[in-house]
Amino acid sequence: MKRLITNTASAMIGLALSAVCLSSQAQGSAAAAASQPLTRAQVKMERQEFLRSHSWDPVNEVWTVKPGFEAPAGVKSRAEMKAERDEFLRNNRWDVATRSWVPIKGGPRRLDTLTRAEVKKDTQAFLRTHRFDEELGQWVETHPAKSSQ
């Protein structure tokens, strides 16, 4: 009985995923989908192909591509996605005030080129937005209250 329920659940999930995939493909070519709807045999064939190339991971609750099968064309690998994410985070930072990502301008500044007044002004600006956390032993960004004007 348990096996029957598991097989039925797998089939239902496969049908649902194939329906989602088919609807996204159909949206891309609306003219083709409008002229020729998919037949029951085509849907079954696509479901079988999906189940042949993917397996359900119950621990992570995701479908994974089985070994020996390639990802669909245009899908980036996990390593490529992580590299792009790291590159973006290296070049941008989150600005709390504007609630958006802002680019980091240039490399580190050379303090030896600044005047004493500029260094003092920058230090004051830094102290308005940061505090030293004794427990962590590092500077932590604070979010000053916005003035109501």
Side-chain angles (χ1 to χ4, degrees), residues 37-56:
L38 292 173
T39 65
R40 186 175 177 88
Q42 289 172 323
V43 172
K44 283 184 176 181
M45 183 178 67
E46 288 185 10
R47 181 200 64 206
Q48 292 297 60
E49 180 65 26
F50 180 83
L51 291 175
R52 186 173 69 76
S53 63
H54 291 74
S55 62
W56 177 250

Side-chain angles (χ1 to χ4, degrees), residues 68-102:
F69 290 93
E70 291 185 19
V75 176
K76 296 178 182 177
S77 71
R78 187 173 182 87
E80 290 172 323
M81 292 300 294
K82 283 185 174 182
E84 286 182 13
R85 177 203 61 196
D86 293 342
E87 180 67 23
F88 179 83
L89 291 175
R90 188 174 17 264
N91 296 321
N92 298 281
R93 70 173 177 81
W94 180 254
D95 185 13
V96 177
T98 62
R99 294 184 180 166
S100 64
W101 289 97
V102 293

